[in-house]
Amino acid sequence: MNPALHVVNLSLGPARDRRLHAIDFDLAHGERLGLLGVNGAGKSTLLQLLAGVLTPASGEIRVDGIDIHDDLAVRTRIGYLPQRLPLYGELSVDENLAWAAMLHGLHGDAAADAIDRVLHQVGLAGVRRRLAGRLSAGMAQRLGLAQALVHAPAILLLDEPTAGLDPLQTDEIRRLLTGLDAAISLIVATHLLDDVQRLCSRVLVLDGGRKRGDHAVTADADLLAHFRTAPSLTGTDAR
Amino acid sequence: MIARIARHEWHRQRAGLTFWLLLAAGQMTVAWLAFAQLEAFADIAPRLKAGGATLGATDLVVMPTFNSLLLVLLLGTPLLAMGSIAGEAHSGRLALWLASPLSASRIIVGKVLGLWLGLLPLVASASVTLAALGIGVALDPARLALAVAAMLIVSLWLAAVTVWLSSLFDRPAAALTASYAVLLFLWLLDTFSGDATSWRTWALLPHVQPMLRGLLRAQDLTYFAATALTALLLTMRGLDRRRGRA
């Protein structure tokens, strides 16, 4: 059986100035993976590659065995929440979701049903007619998450999903993510150890665009140690 | 799917203030100019008739007003187009467009048609206003129809060109500035090119004026079709380049 996501030798940028260097990993169906690293480690860039926003200089990204650049249709199996929320402030919650649904080929009754489902899932059904520009930060983040979920993706890519939120809003987003269907594979890019500890079963450590570690996340895992051993922070980078 | 993207773009425009301000300002300007022309025509009409001149309201009221509408479109379209790609990039929404399964060609054609839909109310309201003059004065319906067709062609051309210019930038203000620079250049090229035929080929007005005079020429249609198609192809290439594929 193919993994949900198969990433081989993924690099970005010209050979002399790589932003990402030969990243390899597999993501199993239903697995929850954290991308951990300091700012500038390459987490967002890696997610942009996995989402298909960018095309790698080398390597391949396969979803259920299909390369996401060879067959664009396979991208409907991916949901992506960028760090900057992709919202139209002048459109309502409903309309923003209709746009996200349209991008993935949903329309008519199928789109309406999907929007109803996801609005209830993220708890925004009561504000569906409100303009996105008038939502609180926590609600806007939930709307972004709903956009990523509206087409029922098999893989969910989240870039700093709790960044800039207050503790209550952060807890709400984490609760939503832990309550997702167990079949959904999840990749969360974050520099918050708490996010990894609560949401992920495995963590990839990135530093300077390179994969520096691949660890299981256990209750007693010392995630801070992974940060401490990052070469860019300890001055031992031998690139 | 192209129709859905166009509808989304059209809906997005209607949700913003710029569209309504542009529509209101455009309608007011065109109506004011039409009535100013009509007033002037009413003053000189008896003298024209006495002198046996063949010029009528179509020449002296309708066509100058369509000329003014062209200027309104030239000034207004970049305001709507700057959000098409540059605005999406600036706000971070372009990431979702690029991550989608949609091809660049569908996205771009949809966005251009959506922008064109946004320009149609202005063209339609001006056309209806001018056609309504036919209640009181004699108009040439064939020339009026050709002038409306010219405005539809030019507005579609403007949509394609300004969306291309929008795709070159990540900041709407930069896209707006570039659009005004290019359109002003094409507008004034006719004035400054003198007898240099090769330069006049690229100027905008020599391709619009014949249609407003009642001439439908293949060379004018070719100019609009070729430049609009080139703009579309360049925009698609630009979007693919953003995806890192070109």
Side-chain angles (χ1 to χ4, degrees):
Chain A
M1 187 180 178
N2 286 317
L5 186 69
H6 180 57
V7 176
V8 184
N9 193 32
L10 201 61
S11 297
L12 182 71
R16 287 186 173 189
D17 185 25
R18 286 270 193 248
R19 289 166 64 190
L20 281 180
H21 305 258
I23 305 283
D24 293 287
F25 70 92
D26 280 353
L27 182 72
H29 292 274
E31 188 173 18
R32 309 289 160 105
L33 175 71
L35 296 179
L36 191 62
V38 295
N39 292 331
K43 307 184 296 292
S44 294
T45 306
L46 178 55
L47 278 195
Q48 286 179 329
L49 282 167
L50 300 179
V53 177
L54 299 173
T55 302
S58 66
E60 57 184 48
I61 302 159
R62 291 185 176 276
V63 172
D64 290 330
I66 304 167
D67 191 298
I68 65 165
H69 295 290
D70 289 346
D71 182 358
L72 290 179
V74 78
R75 295 177 180 206
T76 55
R77 298 184 208 174
I78 301 172
Y80 174 47
L81 173 65
Q83 192 171 0
R84 289 177 63 200
L85 294 176
L87 304 178
Y88 290 98
E90 68 276 25
L91 298 185
S92 70
V93 168
D94 256 351
E95 291 164 338
N96 271 282
L97 289 173
W99 167 60
M102 177 200 76
L103 290 180
H104 290 92
L106 289 177
H107 52 88
D109 288 345
D113 290 346
I115 290 168
D116 278 345
R117 172 184 53 78
V118 81
L119 276 173
H120 284 98
Q121 189 175 355
V122 302
L124 290 179
V127 293
R128 61 189 304 162
R129 309 230 181 277
R130 191 180 295 180
L131 295 182
R134 296 193 178 168
L135 296 176
S136 67
M139 282 181 170
Q141 195 72 19
R142 278 190 275 160
L143 176 54
L145 184 59
Q147 284 181 315
L149 286 167
V150 72
H151 56 291
I155 300 169
L156 192 56
L157 309 174
L158 307 176
D159 196 352
E160 306 279 5
T162 59
L165 301 182
D166 67 36
L168 289 177
Q169 292 166 337
T170 299
D171 190 56
E172 181 66 18
I173 293 293
R174 285 175 181 161
R175 192 185 58 75
L176 280 171
L177 294 177
T178 49
L180 288 175
D181 185 334
I184 294 179
S185 306
L186 182 70
I187 300 183
V188 183
T190 183
H191 58 271
L192 300 177
L193 303 181
D194 257 9
D195 278 352
V196 175
Q197 196 80 55
R198 295 195 190 190
L199 300 172
C200 305
S201 54
R202 182 181 151 210
V203 63
L204 286 189
V205 182
L206 294 180
D207 183 58
R210 294 171 190 270
K211 188 173 93 173
R212 299 295 188 183
D214 188 341
H215 312 276
V217 176
T218 54
D220 57 350
D222 184 5
L223 295 174
L224 194 57
H226 301 316
F227 263 128
R228 291 202 183 100
T229 56
S232 67
L233 299 179
T234 57
T236 58
D237 193 350
R239 268 175 287 161
Chain B
M1 181 49 79
I2 287 172
R4 288 195 187 93
I5 295 171
R7 201 167 57 193
H8 163 75
E9 287 296 304
W10 163 225
H11 182 64
R12 184 181 64 80
Q13 286 170 37
R14 277 183 295 142
L17 189 61
T18 309
F19 170 78
W20 295 106
L21 285 177
L22 179 64
L23 185 60
Q27 278 180 321
M28 277 175 57
T29 307
V30 169
W32 182 76
L33 288 170
F35 285 113
Q37 298 282 356
L38 188 62
E39 199 174 7
F41 175 72
D43 281 346
I44 63 169
R47 276 175 280 160
L48 286 172
K49 201 170 182 181
T54 55
L55 293 172
T58 307
D59 300 286
L60 298 175
V61 179
V62 175
M63 295 312 150
T65 309
F66 272 121
N67 251 326
S68 306
L69 175 62
L70 179 64
L71 190 59
V72 169
L73 287 171
L74 238 62
L75 293 172
T77 308
L79 285 168
L80 294 178
M82 67 180 177
S84 293
I85 309 283
E88 303 278 30
H90 187 62
S91 66
R93 292 187 300 262
L94 192 61
L96 229 55
W97 284 101
L98 297 178
S100 78
L102 299 172
S103 64
S105 56
R106 284 183 173 185
I107 294 172
I108 297 307
V109 173
K111 279 184 170 284
V112 168
L113 290 178
L115 176 58
W116 188 51
L117 284 175
L119 298 174
L120 289 187
L122 190 55
V123 174
S125 66
S127 303
V128 169
T129 303
L130 292 170
L133 295 178
I135 298 169
V137 294
L139 297 178
D140 181 341
R143 283 189 62 191
L144 183 66
L146 187 57
V148 173
M151 291 300 118
L152 293 176
I153 291 169
V154 172
S155 54
L156 183 56
W157 176 84
L158 277 170
V161 170
T162 53
V163 166
W164 166 57
L165 290 163
S166 176
S167 76
L168 301 178
F169 301 93
D170 284 346
R171 290 181 180 277
L176 183 68
T177 307
S179 298
Y180 281 143
V182 169
L183 294 178
L184 190 68
F185 174 73
L186 292 175
W187 177 273
L188 295 177
L189 194 55
D190 179 41
T191 311
F192 295 126
S193 57
D195 294 331
T197 315
S198 57
W199 282 103
R200 287 201 75 205
T201 306
W202 295 102
L204 178 61
L205 286 180
H207 295 289
V208 183
Q209 301 294 3
M211 285 193 270
L212 294 182
R213 288 199 302 268
L215 294 172
L216 188 60
R217 304 186 307 178
Q219 66 208 66
D220 300 327
L221 295 178
T222 305
Y223 169 83
F224 287 116
T227 46
L229 277 174
T230 305
L232 279 175
L233 291 172
L234 288 172
T235 317
M236 289 170 200
R237 191 162 174 267
L239 205 63
D240 274 337
R241 187 177 287 155
R242 283 178 189 264
R243 272 174 166 159
R245 303 184 75 195

